[in-house]
Amino acid sequence: MSQDRRPILRLLRQSAELALFCAAFGLAANWLSPRGLRLTRDYFPGLQSPQPPAPAAEATEEKPPQSAASSAQAGQAGSIRMIGLEEARRLWESPEREAGLVLFLDARSPEEFAAGHIPGAQLFYHYRAEAYLDRVLPLCEAAEAVVVYCSGGACEDSQFAAAMLTELGVPSAKLRIFQDGARGWREAGLPLEAGPNDSAP
Amino acid sequence: MAEALAKKSAPGRKLLAAARFLPRLVAGGVFVWFGIQKALDPVDFLKQIHAYEFFPEGLWMNWTAAILPWAEIVLGACLVTGIRLRPAALLSVALLVFFTAAVFLRGWALHAETGAALCAVRFDCGCGAGEVWLCRKLAENGVLLAAALLVLLWRGAPARRGP
């Protein structure tokens, strides 16, 4: 009986050793890899419940983007407003966008961004935030409204990106989450721009 | 019978060696390939783990997404080269059982949510192969599991090297 158990125990011990080796190797490789993850970072920061989009009638009114102060009055402090296609389009067409007062941020991956993004949008892939923050934070500071979007539908990356921006000091009242995302924009027949993230807003 | 065949002739031995190497090559090759796919884009793998909503939130996801791709590469390499073969096979079996259960549960949740037939459920399982059909993925995992079990349970002459 004991003879039968020994090989099993040896196998289990060797398996445990191999598992430990795999873990150590994985940690070392992750640390050395330029694509490695940061083990202590929260990649999925929570948000307070976003506010629903404004009614269409209100959203389609021709008006400049709300200032941070007036937006703050409109909703709960700390929460971020969701907007629909009409309001996103109005903000995109507004002259304030040309002046840098309205900023569109694309929270999708660089590959998705390059394949087609809302014209003038800046890439902010929050999973690799350090590569974008130097460029994005000053733009957010200068803007009065920052519209964050991802693919649309069940995509949550715009919410994670917006949550990260609020943690970094961007007032939540400035932020909007465009819930239809790139898919909704494209399906509405609105223009998309292809290419990497090298265009000024 | 296989041992008897091997004892009889040199071609028999070669055939047996090839038969023993095949499951190692299949399971090991797939582990290495999918491990590389995940290691090349650990962020995407992390997002896919997060999409399994029945897993609890936490930093364990970062650790898993960081370590697991490289662990798969190591285990796959062990299976192919024959180094630490049976421990690698045992760990591979454990991982495959866990992966298969997780994929099935997520597929089942999507099936319940969308009302689609179980085999018509398609999603990115985070396995390194992009979007997959649930039934096909389960069948693939079944083949891999059988291969890893074969390596684990087929005792006999040392199978350190390939044919």
Side-chain angles (χ1 to χ4, degrees):
Chain A
M1 175 75 185
S2 62
Q3 275 182 341
D4 288 338
R5 285 181 59 195
R6 266 183 209 152
I8 294 173
L9 290 177
R10 191 172 67 238
L11 175 62
L12 291 175
R13 182 176 53 76
Q14 287 177 344
S15 300
E17 286 169 3
L18 183 59
L20 280 176
F21 174 78
C22 286
F25 182 81
L27 286 174
N30 179 68
W31 185 65
L32 290 171
S33 167
R35 299 168 184 238
L37 294 169
R38 295 193 176 181
L39 298 175
T40 54
R41 184 177 145 192
D42 182 5
Y43 285 93
F44 309 103
L47 268 184
Q48 293 186 25
S49 301
Q51 298 166 39
E58 184 193 333
T60 49
E61 281 173 22
E62 287 298 325
K63 58 184 179 183
Q66 290 176 304
S67 69
S70 60
S71 269
Q73 286 163 4
Q76 251 181 312
S79 64
I80 296 172
R81 244 181 71 201
M82 303 280 272
I83 62 170
L85 183 66
E86 286 308 316
E87 188 167 357
R89 182 181 183 169
R90 184 183 61 75
L91 287 167
W92 182 73
E93 287 172 344
S94 71
E96 283 80 2
R97 187 177 67 82
E98 296 293 330
L101 297 177
V102 173
L103 174 67
F104 276 72
L105 290 182
D106 191 320
R108 298 174 303 158
S109 69
E111 293 78 19
E112 290 171 303
F113 180 89
H117 54 269
I118 295 177
Q122 292 289 306
L123 176 60
F124 179 52
Y125 188 51
H126 88 278
Y127 296 100
R128 300 277 179 220
E130 57 282 357
Y132 305 100
L133 284 175
D134 284 348
R135 182 170 187 166
V136 162
L137 278 181
L139 294 173
C140 288
E141 215 166 280
E144 287 182 359
V146 179
V147 180
V148 191
Y149 70 92
C150 51
S151 303
C155 155
E156 295 176 302
D157 287 339
S158 54
Q159 296 186 30
F160 299 138
M164 172 177 266
L165 289 173
T166 59
E167 283 173 13
L168 292 168
V170 177
S172 57
K174 273 189 184 183
L175 292 163
R176 317 274 190 276
I177 292 172
F178 172 33
Q179 60 183 3
D180 300 283
R183 194 179 303 125
W185 188 269
R186 186 180 61 241
E187 285 171 359
L190 293 166
L192 287 171
E193 187 176 72
N197 189 40
D198 56 3
S199 57
Chain B
M1 183 183 163
E3 279 73 12
L5 183 70
K7 277 177 192 168
K8 270 188 178 173
S9 61
R13 277 197 298 275
K14 280 189 178 175
L15 196 66
L16 181 66
R20 293 194 69 177
F21 185 62
L22 188 65
R24 286 167 45 196
L25 186 65
V26 169
V30 169
F31 262 80
V32 169
W33 174 253
F34 284 162
I36 289 172
Q37 298 306 310
K38 292 172 195 164
L40 284 175
D41 194 354
V43 162
D44 187 59
F45 183 42
L46 177 68
K47 287 163 74 174
Q48 296 308 331
I49 294 174
H50 185 255
Y52 283 75
E53 290 174 349
F54 44 82
F55 289 149
E57 297 267 341
L59 291 179
W60 72 270
M61 287 191 283
N62 297 13
W63 288 72
T64 304
I67 291 172
L68 200 55
W70 299 101
E72 285 182 27
I73 293 170
V74 171
L75 292 179
C78 286
L79 288 173
V80 173
T81 60
I83 298 168
R84 295 282 177 189
L85 184 60
R86 295 190 71 232
L90 180 62
L91 293 177
S92 302
V93 167
L95 281 180
L96 282 166
V97 167
F98 177 74
F99 291 161
T100 307
V103 166
F104 175 75
L105 287 174
R106 182 152 173 234
W108 184 265
L110 290 170
H111 153 72
E113 191 181 308
T114 60
L118 206 53
C119 286
V121 171
R122 185 176 164 86
F123 62 104
D124 188 341
C125 59
C127 312
E131 285 201 351
V132 292
W133 299 103
L134 175 63
C135 291
R136 186 174 166 176
K137 187 66 205 172
L138 292 176
E140 284 173 7
N141 276 16
V143 170
L144 289 178
L145 193 54
L149 275 170
L150 204 58
V151 176
L152 178 65
L153 300 175
W154 192 344
R155 307 293 299 274
R160 181 137 188 149
R161 283 187 291 273

